[in-house]
Amino acid sequence: MSQGLYKTSVITQARKLRDYPKKNQKKKKKEKKSTGTYMPITLEKPTVELVNVTQDMKSFKAYDKLCIKHINELRIGARMRKAAEAENEEKK
């Protein structure tokens, strides 16, 4: 029992106030009990690797690299069009 288990007899209830019956009305829906098997809960600790920070890591500019990559992705269509036009001009 140290792992803990979900109970299969969980009762589902209405989520909104309008789904509840009024005082004089009968219940429209019966409460449903879930059926199935128990699901074990596994607790796994993520592994973290500690690394000493080097001068190369400090000098690496990740934001600049991401910006350049993003700009290149945006401009790929225009660059392909220019290359196609240049190729057409060479053929003429």
Side-chain angles (χ1 to χ4, degrees):
M1 294 303 284
S2 63
Q3 287 183 343
L5 299 172
Y6 289 116
K7 293 182 180 178
T8 58
S9 61
V10 176
I11 298 172
T12 57
Q13 295 182 357
R15 297 182 73 190
K16 295 186 179 180
L17 190 59
R18 69 171 186 251
D19 294 337
Y20 287 104
K22 302 212 174 171
K23 289 182 181 179
N24 297 333
Q25 291 179 345
K26 294 182 179 179
K27 287 187 177 181
K28 293 180 183 177
K29 299 176 184 176
K30 292 184 178 180
E31 295 176 343
K32 296 179 182 178
K33 288 190 176 183
S34 63
T35 58
T37 59
Y38 288 105
M39 289 178 44
I41 299 173
T42 58
L43 301 175
E44 296 178 6
K45 289 187 177 180
T47 57
V48 177
E49 184 178 333
L50 299 176
V51 179
N52 292 333
V53 179
T54 62
Q55 190 62 29
D56 292 336
M57 290 179 187
K58 288 181 183 178
S59 64
F60 182 71
K61 300 194 179 199
Y63 183 77
D64 294 343
K65 191 157 187 124
L66 287 174
C67 286
I68 290 170
K69 187 172 183 172
H70 179 69
I71 290 169
N72 288 339
E73 288 177 3
L74 289 176
R75 307 242 196 275
I76 195 165
R79 288 178 182 156
M80 289 174 61
R81 188 183 71 235
K82 284 183 182 179
E85 289 175 0
E87 190 176 305
N88 287 339
E89 288 180 11
E90 288 178 7
K91 288 181 180 179
K92 288 182 181 182

